[in-house]
Amino acid sequence: MKKVFLVLLLVILLSEISSLEDQNSNLSHYIGGAAGISTGFGLSYRYWPEEYGWQVVFTPMSDGADVMINLGLGALKTLHETTYTRLFLYLVGNGTYNNYEDYDYEEMVINERKQTFESVIGIGPGLEIYLFNNIVIDIMFGFKYGFNGMFQGLGFTAETALYYRF
């Protein structure tokens, strides 16, 4: 009777371990923070179920008088994946809207209220490193093109992100 009980207990434990592995193998939802010239900056959600994935980065900021909103969208493609890393290709773009008072610090007066819109697109390779089963860090680099604003023109870009996968 003890042998039957031990065998039954062993079968139950092995089936539970197998079901836990199945749950952990589908970690396609990511939430965290991202910062970069072409990905944008702020809170980020990423969905990466298989070979292709996408991400959204969003930051609204306001102090009552000034407003800044950043929205970034991106497409991702897995190139190679191992147990602890993923090499991928990204194509992203972001736009930043600013509505602020232009202040002259020499004269100590407000010149006028300004509205600006800056946009940047970028492409390049990235490396996702699984620090733990559910925590990953992304390091991305490549080329960007800015349409207006501070990052106008063609140049180099660097991006990073920290995510929790579930």
Side-chain angles (χ1 to χ4, degrees), residues 98-111:
N98 283 302
N99 185 340
Y100 63 96
E101 292 178 343
D102 187 27
Y103 192 76
D104 185 350
Y105 290 99
E106 291 180 10
E107 300 291 326
M108 304 293 276
V109 295
I110 298 172
N111 289 337

Side-chain angles (χ1 to χ4, degrees), residues 54-115:
W54 57 269
Q55 75 177 20
V56 175
V57 181
F58 181 65
T59 300
M61 286 197 259
S62 176
D63 63 1
D66 298 340
V67 175
M68 193 268 318
I69 299 171
N70 179 267
L71 177 63
L73 301 171
L76 311 163
K77 183 189 183 314
T78 301
L79 298 175
H80 181 71
E81 188 170 7
T82 68
T83 306
Y84 302 107
T85 62
R86 179 190 323 225
L87 180 65
F88 63 94
L89 187 64
Y90 71 93
L91 174 63
V92 294
N94 85 78
T96 304
Y97 168 77
N98 283 302
N99 185 340
Y100 63 96
E101 292 178 343
D102 187 27
Y103 192 76
D104 185 350
Y105 290 99
E106 291 180 10
E107 300 291 326
M108 304 293 276
V109 295
I110 298 172
N111 289 337
E112 61 185 308
R113 179 158 283 287
K114 288 190 174 181
Q115 291 184 2

Side-chain angles (χ1 to χ4, degrees), residues 5-6 43 52 67 86 102 107 121-122 130 134 139 165:
F5 179 72
L6 287 174
L43 295 176
Y52 293 95
V67 175
R86 179 190 323 225
D102 187 27
E107 300 291 326
I121 59 170
Y130 307 125
N134 294 84
I139 302 165
R165 303 187 311 159

